[in-house]
Amino acid sequence: NAGVTQTPKFQVLKTGQSMTLQCAQDMNHNSMYWYRQDPGMGLRLIYYSASEGTTDKGEVPNGYNVSRLNKREFSLRLESAAPSQTSVYFCASSQSAGTSGYTFGSGTRLTVV
Amino acid sequence: GENVEQHPSTLSVQEGDSAVIKCTYSDSASNYFPWYKQELGKRPQLIIDIRSNVGEKKDQRIAVTLNKTAKHFSLHITETQPEDSAVYFCAASPYDKIIFGKGTRLHILP
């Protein structure tokens, strides 16, 4: 039972490049989330999917897009990376949106130069 | 939208003493309040949570209290140990997402 798996674990991008962060969960959870973590800023919600087939913006969605590919997978895309997107990205899942705790992935450390 | 304020940002306590972290939230629709612990370089992990129909919950050395009228909730850690050193996040859930506070770095002093 792997829980929530994120790939890659580390990535360096040049400004303007694009990339997709992958997230998959094997717990049959309905809801999935993408957060970014910056020093002193806590965990800020980028996008979320309360259930398969739905996606919604969070607190800091600008510069990102998401796809809920199926119940297991939720990807985050940076179309044109900027240095301000340097951060640690966490994917999380929960059984029911907003009423049960999250299981987090191990994170992706992204540096944009 | 929901806004969660957390205090203090840093807290140092002697081993064996108690630690208290306080949070406030803004959206009266929030009804689920989890707390997460994050050790250095690791992912956040859920340590305890409380729902709006409960005023207090305890799990061994950890307890949470909730005052819905005042929109306050707190984490209490008693008999602190070195392994309690970490960053702690409070969070509130309005509807279908969870909004986090900025975190409290807890140092346990020998």
Side-chain angles (χ1 to χ4, degrees):
Chain A
N1 189 340
V4 179
T5 302
Q6 286 184 240
T7 55
K9 294 191 184 304
F10 301 94
Q11 183 72 47
V12 179
L13 288 179
K14 294 183 179 179
T15 297
Q17 287 185 319
S18 63
M19 79 162 294
T20 300
L21 280 64
Q22 306 286 354
C23 177
Q25 52 91 9
D26 62 3
M27 297 171 288
N28 200 35
H29 282 172
N30 293 307
S31 307
M32 299 185 74
Y33 308 83
W34 278 104
Y35 286 84
R36 62 178 287 174
Q37 185 173 32
D38 303 293
M41 298 298 293
L43 293 150
R44 292 183 292 169
L45 182 63
I46 304 172
Y47 271 94
Y48 65 104
S49 173
S51 59
E52 186 179 0
T54 69
T55 59
D56 285 286
K57 294 179 180 180
E59 301 167 277
V60 289
N62 291 345
Y64 305 94
N65 284 299
V66 290
S67 294
R68 183 76 183 265
L69 304 169
N70 48 55
K71 190 171 185 179
R72 291 187 62 248
E73 298 172 286
F74 188 40
S75 62
L76 178 72
R77 183 160 178 84
L78 288 71
E79 291 291 353
S80 179
S84 61
Q85 295 178 304
T86 293
S87 188
V88 178
Y89 291 84
F90 285 102
C91 177
S93 70
S94 67
Q95 180 56 45
S96 61
T99 60
S100 60
Y102 291 170
T103 299
F104 280 89
S106 58
T108 295
R109 185 174 294 275
L110 175 67
T111 302
V112 183
V113 297
Chain B
E2 176 63 278
N3 182 49
V4 178
E5 298 283 344
Q6 183 171 350
H7 301 280
S9 57
T10 304
L11 179 61
S12 296
V13 300
Q14 293 292 139
E15 182 178 347
D17 288 350
S18 296
V20 179
I21 301 170
K22 298 183 178 183
C23 293
T24 61
Y25 63 99
S26 61
D27 192 334
S28 58
S30 288
N31 56 14
Y32 175 66
F33 305 90
W35 287 84
Y36 289 82
K37 175 183 180 182
Q38 187 178 29
E39 297 176 348
L40 190 61
K42 301 282 185 67
R43 73 193 78 187
Q45 294 198 305
L46 179 70
I47 54 172
I48 195 167
D49 56 13
I50 190 168
R51 300 181 192 281
S52 58
N53 58 346
V54 175
E56 184 172 354
K57 182 177 180 180
K58 190 173 182 179
D59 183 3
Q60 299 183 7
R61 297 186 296 108
I62 294 174
V64 292
T65 58
L66 172 65
N67 182 330
K68 281 220 74 178
T69 303
K71 298 195 182 75
H72 290 175
F73 58 117
S74 301
L75 176 73
H76 304 251
I77 306 174
T78 58
E79 301 173 5
T80 52
Q81 300 171 3
E83 54 265 36
D84 295 329
S85 291
V87 178
Y88 291 81
F89 293 97
C90 63
S93 176
Y95 310 113
D96 55 4
K97 57 186 177 290
I98 292 176
I99 303 300
F100 288 84
K102 289 185 168 53
T104 295
R105 184 172 298 278
L106 176 62
H107 298 279
I108 306 301
L109 305 174

